[in-house]
Amino acid sequence: AAAIMSDTHTAPEFMEGFVASVSMIWATELGDKTFFIAALMAMQYSPCFTFTGALAALAVMTVLSAGMGHIVPNVLPPKFTNLVAVILFGFFGVKMLREAYEHADGDGSDPEEMKEAAECLKQKDVEAPEQHGSSTVPKGRAFARFSPVFGQAFTLTFLAEWGDRSQLATIALGTNQHMLGVILGGIFGHAMCTGLAVIGGKFLSEKVSPRTISYFGGVVFLVFAVVTAVHQELPFDLPIPKFL
């Protein structure tokens, strides 16, 4: 921990990792399954407890992912971890652009991610206290109301995020970016995306098409791939133009 805190003096590296992490989260999380889990839960239960439960899970996942990315270069030579990062960024970039190209706009149906999120909620439904007669909950029993909603939001979000492209991308960023910058940027980006989901996820999904989000995300990932390939050491030399 002390080593990480001492690194905060390297402000340019910290800001580079922070901005890259925020951009990556926006590129992957808007319209993702975890986004719609938060949106749908906020429509049924307390938005505040939904937000805190989902964000807690995403924060834990961000710390774990950035930590894994930070440890990997100590086990493998950095040039090989940089190559893996380039491959991951390039793969997700091409995949998202392909999804955007193949997605038909204006068909009136809900995004596939929203359908998956709704199915998750059906499988792990929580009975809200308001459904049992009285709409008010005594102050002394506030935790009884808080616990199941927070727990469900945390569990569903954590499980949905595990192995997701944003987790893998965070690991890749952690291999060659400032660790604390990646962590704080990732948590900040998740807080913004989850906040948007809780406030108006359904409205946003109707106004911004999944195709547009996929195009944006694909371009961001390809930019990350190019920047990593140009500015980080790889196992082989690339024919890079001098202006880059």
Side-chain angles (χ1 to χ4, degrees), residues 10-23 173 176-178 181-182 185 224 227-228 231-232:
T10 58
E13 290 82 359
F14 172 84
M15 285 306 302
E16 182 181 347
F18 183 89
V19 172
S21 189
V22 172
S23 302
L173 280 179
N176 53 47
Q177 296 285 351
H178 193 285
V182 171
F224 283 166
V227 170
T228 304
H231 295 287
Q232 302 293 334

PDB file of all heavy atoms in Angstrom, residues 10-23 173 176-178 181-182 185 224 227-228 231-232:
ATOM      1  N   THR A  10       3.669  10.637  -9.119  1.00  0.00           N
ATOM      2  CA  THR A  10       3.826  10.632 -10.569  1.00  0.00           C
ATOM      3  C   THR A  10       2.490  11.017 -11.183  1.00  0.00           C
ATOM      4  O   THR A  10       1.768  10.181 -11.717  1.00  0.00           O
ATOM      5  CB  THR A  10       4.284   9.248 -11.048  1.00  0.00           C
ATOM      6  OG1 THR A  10       3.312   8.265 -10.630  1.00  0.00           O
ATOM      7  CG2 THR A  10       5.627   8.887 -10.438  1.00  0.00           C
ATOM      8  N   ALA A  11       2.196  12.313 -11.122  1.00  0.00           N
ATOM      9  CA  ALA A  11       0.873  12.809 -11.536  1.00  0.00           C
ATOM     10  C   ALA A  11       0.523  12.492 -12.980  1.00  0.00           C
ATOM     11  O   ALA A  11      -0.612  12.079 -13.262  1.00  0.00           O
ATOM     12  CB  ALA A  11       0.785  14.315 -11.272  1.00  0.00           C
ATOM     13  N   PRO A  12       1.425  12.684 -13.958  1.00  0.00           N
ATOM     14  CA  PRO A  12       1.050  12.382 -15.350  1.00  0.00           C
ATOM     15  C   PRO A  12       0.647  10.920 -15.543  1.00  0.00           C
ATOM     16  O   PRO A  12      -0.335  10.637 -16.226  1.00  0.00           O
ATOM     17  CB  PRO A  12       2.331  12.723 -16.129  1.00  0.00           C
ATOM     18  CG  PRO A  12       3.052  13.698 -15.274  1.00  0.00           C
ATOM     19  CD  PRO A  12       2.781  13.264 -13.865  1.00  0.00           C
ATOM     20  N   GLU A  13       1.418   9.995 -14.936  1.00  0.00           N
ATOM     21  CA  GLU A  13       1.088   8.583 -15.074  1.00  0.00           C
ATOM     22  C   GLU A  13      -0.250   8.263 -14.400  1.00  0.00           C
ATOM     23  O   GLU A  13      -1.044   7.478 -14.918  1.00  0.00           O
ATOM     24  CB  GLU A  13       2.200   7.717 -14.468  1.00  0.00           C
ATOM     25  CG  GLU A  13       3.502   7.721 -15.254  1.00  0.00           C
ATOM     26  CD  GLU A  13       4.368   8.934 -14.939  1.00  0.00           C
ATOM     27  OE1 GLU A  13       3.931   9.776 -14.113  1.00  0.00           O
ATOM     28  OE2 GLU A  13       5.467   9.046 -15.506  1.00  0.00           O
ATOM     29  N   PHE A  14      -0.482   8.879 -13.242  1.00  0.00           N
ATOM     30  CA  PHE A  14      -1.747   8.666 -12.542  1.00  0.00           C
ATOM     31  C   PHE A  14      -2.927   9.136 -13.389  1.00  0.00           C
ATOM     32  O   PHE A  14      -3.916   8.425 -13.549  1.00  0.00           O
ATOM     33  CB  PHE A  14      -1.746   9.408 -11.204  1.00  0.00           C
ATOM     34  CG  PHE A  14      -3.075   9.398 -10.501  1.00  0.00           C
ATOM     35  CD1 PHE A  14      -3.447   8.325  -9.711  1.00  0.00           C
ATOM     36  CD2 PHE A  14      -3.961  10.458 -10.648  1.00  0.00           C
ATOM     37  CE1 PHE A  14      -4.682   8.304  -9.069  1.00  0.00           C
ATOM     38  CE2 PHE A  14      -5.193  10.452 -10.011  1.00  0.00           C
ATOM     39  CZ  PHE A  14      -5.557   9.368  -9.220  1.00  0.00           C
ATOM     40  N   MET A  15      -2.813  10.347 -13.952  1.00  0.00           N
ATOM     41  CA  MET A  15      -3.918  10.898 -14.746  1.00  0.00           C
ATOM     42  C   MET A  15      -4.137  10.093 -16.022  1.00  0.00           C
ATOM     43  O   MET A  15      -5.272   9.908 -16.464  1.00  0.00           O
ATOM     44  CB  MET A  15      -3.645  12.359 -15.085  1.00  0.00           C
ATOM     45  CG  MET A  15      -3.843  13.308 -13.916  1.00  0.00           C
ATOM     46  SD  MET A  15      -5.489  13.154 -13.157  1.00  0.00           S
ATOM     47  CE  MET A  15      -6.559  13.513 -14.555  1.00  0.00           C
ATOM     48  N   GLU A  16      -3.048   9.605 -16.606  1.00  0.00           N
ATOM     49  CA  GLU A  16      -3.190   8.782 -17.813  1.00  0.00           C
ATOM     50  C   GLU A  16      -3.968   7.507 -17.503  1.00  0.00           C
ATOM     51  O   GLU A  16      -4.875   7.121 -18.252  1.00  0.00           O
ATOM     52  CB  GLU A  16      -1.807   8.436 -18.367  1.00  0.00           C
ATOM     53  CG  GLU A  16      -1.859   7.613 -19.646  1.00  0.00           C
ATOM     54  CD  GLU A  16      -0.480   7.262 -20.169  1.00  0.00           C
ATOM     55  OE1 GLU A  16       0.512   7.849 -19.685  1.00  0.00           O
ATOM     56  OE2 GLU A  16      -0.387   6.382 -21.059  1.00  0.00           O
ATOM     57  N   GLY A  17      -3.617   6.862 -16.382  1.00  0.00           N
ATOM     58  CA  GLY A  17      -4.343   5.659 -15.992  1.00  0.00           C
ATOM     59  C   GLY A  17      -5.787   5.955 -15.617  1.00  0.00           C
ATOM     60  O   GLY A  17      -6.694   5.191 -15.944  1.00  0.00           O
ATOM     61  N   PHE A  18      -6.007   7.083 -14.935  1.00  0.00           N
ATOM     62  CA  PHE A  18      -7.352   7.471 -14.512  1.00  0.00           C
ATOM     63  C   PHE A  18      -8.249   7.721 -15.721  1.00  0.00           C
ATOM     64  O   PHE A  18      -9.366   7.176 -15.810  1.00  0.00           O
ATOM     65  CB  PHE A  18      -7.278   8.730 -13.647  1.00  0.00           C
ATOM     66  CG  PHE A  18      -8.597   9.189 -13.092  1.00  0.00           C
ATOM     67  CD1 PHE A  18      -9.057   8.717 -11.870  1.00  0.00           C
ATOM     68  CD2 PHE A  18      -9.385  10.096 -13.792  1.00  0.00           C
ATOM     69  CE1 PHE A  18     -10.268   9.130 -11.358  1.00  0.00           C
ATOM     70  CE2 PHE A  18     -10.602  10.519 -13.293  1.00  0.00           C
ATOM     71  CZ  PHE A  18     -11.047  10.036 -12.074  1.00  0.00           C
ATOM     72  N   VAL A  19      -7.778   8.521 -16.664  1.00  0.00           N
ATOM     73  CA  VAL A  19      -8.583   8.854 -17.850  1.00  0.00           C
ATOM     74  C   VAL A  19      -8.831   7.620 -18.703  1.00  0.00           C
ATOM     75  O   VAL A  19      -9.950   7.401 -19.195  1.00  0.00           O
ATOM     76  CB  VAL A  19      -7.890   9.957 -18.673  1.00  0.00           C
ATOM     77  CG1 VAL A  19      -8.614  10.177 -19.999  1.00  0.00           C
ATOM     78  CG2 VAL A  19      -7.841  11.261 -17.885  1.00  0.00           C
ATOM     79  N   ALA A  20      -7.798   6.795 -18.883  1.00  0.00           N
ATOM     80  CA  ALA A  20      -7.972   5.575 -19.670  1.00  0.00           C
ATOM     81  C   ALA A  20      -8.997   4.647 -19.030  1.00  0.00           C
ATOM     82  O   ALA A  20      -9.831   4.051 -19.721  1.00  0.00           O
ATOM     83  CB  ALA A  20      -6.629   4.853 -19.805  1.00  0.00           C
ATOM     84  N   SER A  21      -8.980   4.553 -17.712  1.00  0.00           N
ATOM     85  CA  SER A  21      -9.910   3.671 -17.008  1.00  0.00           C
ATOM     86  C   SER A  21     -11.342   4.182 -17.102  1.00  0.00           C
ATOM     87  O   SER A  21     -12.273   3.410 -17.358  1.00  0.00           O
ATOM     88  CB  SER A  21      -9.490   3.538 -15.538  1.00  0.00           C
ATOM     89  OG  SER A  21     -10.235   2.531 -14.889  1.00  0.00           O
ATOM     90  N   VAL A  22     -11.535   5.487 -16.906  1.00  0.00           N
ATOM     91  CA  VAL A  22     -12.874   6.067 -17.030  1.00  0.00           C
ATOM     92  C   VAL A  22     -13.418   5.852 -18.437  1.00  0.00           C
ATOM     93  O   VAL A  22     -14.579   5.450 -18.628  1.00  0.00           O
ATOM     94  CB  VAL A  22     -12.856   7.563 -16.685  1.00  0.00           C
ATOM     95  CG1 VAL A  22     -14.210   8.202 -17.014  1.00  0.00           C
ATOM     96  CG2 VAL A  22     -12.531   7.780 -15.215  1.00  0.00           C
ATOM     97  N   SER A  23     -12.579   6.111 -19.451  1.00  0.00           N
ATOM     98  CA  SER A  23     -13.021   5.952 -20.844  1.00  0.00           C
ATOM     99  C   SER A  23     -13.394   4.502 -21.136  1.00  0.00           C
ATOM    100  O   SER A  23     -14.408   4.231 -21.806  1.00  0.00           O
ATOM    101  CB  SER A  23     -11.908   6.405 -21.795  1.00  0.00           C
ATOM    102  OG  SER A  23     -11.543   7.743 -21.546  1.00  0.00           O
ATOM    103  N   LEU A 173      -5.445  -2.983 -18.544  1.00  0.00           N
ATOM    104  CA  LEU A 173      -4.966  -1.644 -18.192  1.00  0.00           C
ATOM    105  C   LEU A 173      -3.999  -1.699 -17.013  1.00  0.00           C
ATOM    106  O   LEU A 173      -3.002  -0.960 -16.961  1.00  0.00           O
ATOM    107  CB  LEU A 173      -6.146  -0.730 -17.848  1.00  0.00           C
ATOM    108  CG  LEU A 173      -6.946  -0.118 -18.992  1.00  0.00           C
ATOM    109  CD1 LEU A 173      -8.068   0.736 -18.438  1.00  0.00           C
ATOM    110  CD2 LEU A 173      -6.055   0.711 -19.904  1.00  0.00           C
ATOM    111  N   ASN A 176      -0.040  -2.070 -17.564  1.00  0.00           N
ATOM    112  CA  ASN A 176       0.876  -1.033 -18.052  1.00  0.00           C
ATOM    113  C   ASN A 176       0.464   0.385 -17.700  1.00  0.00           C
ATOM    114  O   ASN A 176       1.009   1.337 -18.242  1.00  0.00           O
ATOM    115  CB  ASN A 176       1.052  -1.155 -19.584  1.00  0.00           C
ATOM    116  CG  ASN A 176      -0.277  -1.171 -20.318  1.00  0.00           C
ATOM    117  OD1 ASN A 176      -1.145  -0.348 -20.053  1.00  0.00           O
ATOM    118  ND2 ASN A 176      -0.444  -2.110 -21.234  1.00  0.00           N
ATOM    119  N   GLN A 177      -0.546   0.532 -16.811  1.00  0.00           N
ATOM    120  CA  GLN A 177      -0.964   1.861 -16.380  1.00  0.00           C
ATOM    121  C   GLN A 177      -0.791   1.980 -14.870  1.00  0.00           C
ATOM    122  O   GLN A 177      -0.638   0.985 -14.165  1.00  0.00           O
ATOM    123  CB  GLN A 177      -2.434   2.113 -16.768  1.00  0.00           C
ATOM    124  CG  GLN A 177      -2.702   2.146 -18.266  1.00  0.00           C
ATOM    125  CD  GLN A 177      -2.227   3.419 -18.931  1.00  0.00           C
ATOM    126  OE1 GLN A 177      -1.828   4.369 -18.277  1.00  0.00           O
ATOM    127  NE2 GLN A 177      -2.258   3.436 -20.259  1.00  0.00           N
ATOM    128  N   HIS A 178      -0.845   3.209 -14.382  1.00  0.00           N
ATOM    129  CA  HIS A 178      -0.725   3.482 -12.950  1.00  0.00           C
ATOM    130  C   HIS A 178      -1.864   2.775 -12.210  1.00  0.00           C
ATOM    131  O   HIS A 178      -3.036   3.011 -12.483  1.00  0.00           O
ATOM    132  CB  HIS A 178      -0.786   4.987 -12.715  1.00  0.00           C
ATOM    133  CG  HIS A 178      -0.378   5.410 -11.338  1.00  0.00           C
ATOM    134  ND1 HIS A 178      -1.186   5.233 -10.238  1.00  0.00           N
ATOM    135  CD2 HIS A 178       0.748   6.001 -10.877  1.00  0.00           C
ATOM    136  CE1 HIS A 178      -0.589   5.713  -9.163  1.00  0.00           C
ATOM    137  NE2 HIS A 178       0.605   6.182  -9.524  1.00  0.00           N
ATOM    138  N   GLY A 181      -4.436   4.942 -10.388  1.00  0.00           N
ATOM    139  CA  GLY A 181      -5.212   5.678 -11.384  1.00  0.00           C
ATOM    140  C   GLY A 181      -6.271   4.808 -12.029  1.00  0.00           C
ATOM    141  O   GLY A 181      -7.406   5.236 -12.238  1.00  0.00           O
ATOM    142  N   VAL A 182      -5.898   3.550 -12.330  1.00  0.00           N
ATOM    143  CA  VAL A 182      -6.853   2.609 -12.929  1.00  0.00           C
ATOM    144  C   VAL A 182      -7.984   2.297 -11.945  1.00  0.00           C
ATOM    145  O   VAL A 182      -9.162   2.261 -12.327  1.00  0.00           O
ATOM    146  CB  VAL A 182      -6.129   1.320 -13.358  1.00  0.00           C
ATOM    147  CG1 VAL A 182      -7.142   0.249 -13.782  1.00  0.00           C
ATOM    148  CG2 VAL A 182      -5.170   1.599 -14.499  1.00  0.00           C
ATOM    149  N   GLY A 185     -10.108   5.577 -11.331  1.00  0.00           N
ATOM    150  CA  GLY A 185     -10.820   5.883 -12.573  1.00  0.00           C
ATOM    151  C   GLY A 185     -11.926   4.882 -12.851  1.00  0.00           C
ATOM    152  O   GLY A 185     -13.026   5.244 -13.289  1.00  0.00           O
ATOM    153  N   PHE A 224      -7.071   2.187 -27.672  1.00  0.00           N
ATOM    154  CA  PHE A 224      -6.236   1.627 -26.609  1.00  0.00           C
ATOM    155  C   PHE A 224      -5.215   0.643 -27.184  1.00  0.00           C
ATOM    156  O   PHE A 224      -4.053   0.618 -26.755  1.00  0.00           O
ATOM    157  CB  PHE A 224      -7.093   0.909 -25.568  1.00  0.00           C
ATOM    158  CG  PHE A 224      -7.797   1.836 -24.615  1.00  0.00           C
ATOM    159  CD1 PHE A 224      -8.815   1.367 -23.810  1.00  0.00           C
ATOM    160  CD2 PHE A 224      -7.447   3.175 -24.521  1.00  0.00           C
ATOM    161  CE1 PHE A 224      -9.469   2.214 -22.913  1.00  0.00           C
ATOM    162  CE2 PHE A 224      -8.088   4.022 -23.641  1.00  0.00           C
ATOM    163  CZ  PHE A 224      -9.102   3.547 -22.835  1.00  0.00           C
ATOM    164  N   VAL A 227      -2.456   2.668 -29.040  1.00  0.00           N
ATOM    165  CA  VAL A 227      -1.610   3.415 -28.107  1.00  0.00           C
ATOM    166  C   VAL A 227      -0.675   2.476 -27.346  1.00  0.00           C
ATOM    167  O   VAL A 227       0.519   2.770 -27.169  1.00  0.00           O
ATOM    168  CB  VAL A 227      -2.480   4.224 -27.120  1.00  0.00           C
ATOM    169  CG1 VAL A 227      -1.622   4.800 -25.993  1.00  0.00           C
ATOM    170  CG2 VAL A 227      -3.204   5.344 -27.854  1.00  0.00           C
ATOM    171  N   THR A 228      -1.196   1.340 -26.903  1.00  0.00           N
ATOM    172  CA  THR A 228      -0.355   0.373 -26.194  1.00  0.00           C
ATOM    173  C   THR A 228       0.725  -0.190 -27.098  1.00  0.00           C
ATOM    174  O   THR A 228       1.884  -0.336 -26.684  1.00  0.00           O
ATOM    175  CB  THR A 228      -1.217  -0.779 -25.631  1.00  0.00           C
ATOM    176  OG1 THR A 228      -2.237  -0.245 -24.790  1.00  0.00           O
ATOM    177  CG2 THR A 228      -0.372  -1.752 -24.826  1.00  0.00           C
ATOM    178  N   HIS A 231       3.405   2.775 -27.689  1.00  0.00           N
ATOM    179  CA  HIS A 231       4.149   3.359 -26.572  1.00  0.00           C
ATOM    180  C   HIS A 231       4.669   2.338 -25.556  1.00  0.00           C
ATOM    181  O   HIS A 231       5.359   2.724 -24.618  1.00  0.00           O
ATOM    182  CB  HIS A 231       3.260   4.376 -25.845  1.00  0.00           C
ATOM    183  CG  HIS A 231       2.902   5.557 -26.689  1.00  0.00           C
ATOM    184  ND1 HIS A 231       3.803   6.544 -27.013  1.00  0.00           N
ATOM    185  CD2 HIS A 231       1.735   5.902 -27.297  1.00  0.00           C
ATOM    186  CE1 HIS A 231       3.214   7.463 -27.775  1.00  0.00           C
ATOM    187  NE2 HIS A 231       1.959   7.089 -27.971  1.00  0.00           N
ATOM    188  N   GLN A 232       4.344   1.058 -25.720  1.00  0.00           N
ATOM    189  CA  GLN A 232       4.822   0.044 -24.781  1.00  0.00           C
ATOM    190  C   GLN A 232       5.727  -0.955 -25.512  1.00  0.00           C
ATOM    191  O   GLN A 232       5.593  -1.167 -26.716  1.00  0.00           O
ATOM    192  CB  GLN A 232       3.653  -0.701 -24.130  1.00  0.00           C
ATOM    193  CG  GLN A 232       2.690   0.195 -23.379  1.00  0.00           C
ATOM    194  CD  GLN A 232       3.302   0.828 -22.137  1.00  0.00           C
ATOM    195  OE1 GLN A 232       4.235   0.304 -21.546  1.00  0.00           O
ATOM    196  NE2 GLN A 232       2.774   1.976 -21.733  1.00  0.00           N
TER     197      GLN A 232
END
